[in-house]
Amino acid sequence: MLKALLRRQLANFERTWGYDATYMREFLDDDPWAFIRFGFVASLGHGKRAPAEAVAAAGVVGTLAGDCGPCTQLGIDMAAADGVAPGVLRGVLAGDRQAMGEAAALGYDFAHAVLDRRLADADEIREEIQRRWGRRALLDIALALTTAQMYPTLKYGLGHGRSCQQVTVGGVAAPFQHAERAAA
């Protein structure tokens, strides 16, 4: 019964977002309790204590680090549904700090500094985020970055990863910069 309810929720999710969640259905079939626990952790990435633009930027950078296909499109669509302006999202995808605006640029720069392990830069940006919006906002941005990487990582791990695809914002193609990870 629980599995049937979760399957209906997944089907609704796919219809709502135009997203193929085959890997999630397989995950649910293989281990329903792990699926539920995964969902609880993933839900942590939707905090509202930082500006939506900063959270969205960190999430998009995190998703692009793990995927440049359907997961990125899903993150963009969800950010737009949360009210992030199309121009901001296009700016984040293009790496255009001026177009993305100040709040998104802080989330964007923080996410890149963390992923690239530029610790001094991350420290400086972290202090600025806390000064502007507080410690809990920093937590929301860090969780958005962390959870954004969970889905593409799981998807690729289960053999459902795809190559890059055109990402759109508001139905218009939006060029993006694929994240280059710094060598460890």
Side-chain angles (χ1 to χ4, degrees):
M1 179 148 164
L2 178 61
K3 202 185 258 189
L5 173 68
L6 292 171
R7 280 186 156 280
R8 282 195 299 274
Q9 288 179 337
L10 276 175
N12 187 41
F13 180 86
E14 287 180 299
R15 279 191 303 276
T16 299
W17 299 106
Y19 182 78
D20 178 6
T22 299
Y23 73 104
M24 296 301 288
R25 285 195 305 275
E26 290 177 5
F27 182 12
L28 173 61
D29 288 341
D30 291 342
D31 191 339
W33 292 113
F35 177 85
I36 291 169
R37 291 191 308 268
F38 183 84
F40 281 127
V41 172
S43 71
L44 295 173
H46 302 283
K48 304 287 184 198
R49 297 171 291 198
E53 293 83 1
V55 172
V60 169
V61 170
T63 304
L64 281 171
D67 174 71
C68 52
C71 291
T72 300
Q73 184 64 61
L74 180 60
I76 291 295
D77 292 344
M78 289 179 151
D82 280 346
V84 179
V88 170
L89 294 171
R90 284 189 197 97
V92 170
L93 286 168
D96 182 341
R97 298 182 78 262
Q98 186 171 1
M100 70 180 77
E102 209 172 301
L106 266 180
Y108 177 90
D109 290 343
F110 180 69
H112 275 289
V114 168
L115 292 177
D116 296 343
R117 302 298 188 258
R118 291 182 287 115
L119 302 182
D121 292 340
D123 288 346
E124 183 178 318
I125 301 166
R126 182 179 305 107
E127 286 179 24
E128 180 62 19
I129 289 170
Q130 290 182 91
R131 187 189 68 71
R132 288 183 184 205
W133 307 311
R135 178 82 181 162
R136 295 178 123 197
L138 173 66
L139 183 60
D140 283 352
I141 293 168
L143 286 169
L145 173 61
T146 302
T147 58
Q149 296 176 79
M150 291 173 54
Y151 286 98
T153 302
L154 176 66
K155 191 173 182 178
Y156 277 85
L158 295 177
H160 290 272
R162 288 187 170 176
S163 60
C164 294
Q165 74 174 42
Q166 180 65 59
V167 175
T168 63
V169 178
V172 177
F176 62 89
Q177 289 187 330
H178 193 266
E180 296 294 330
R181 301 293 300 271

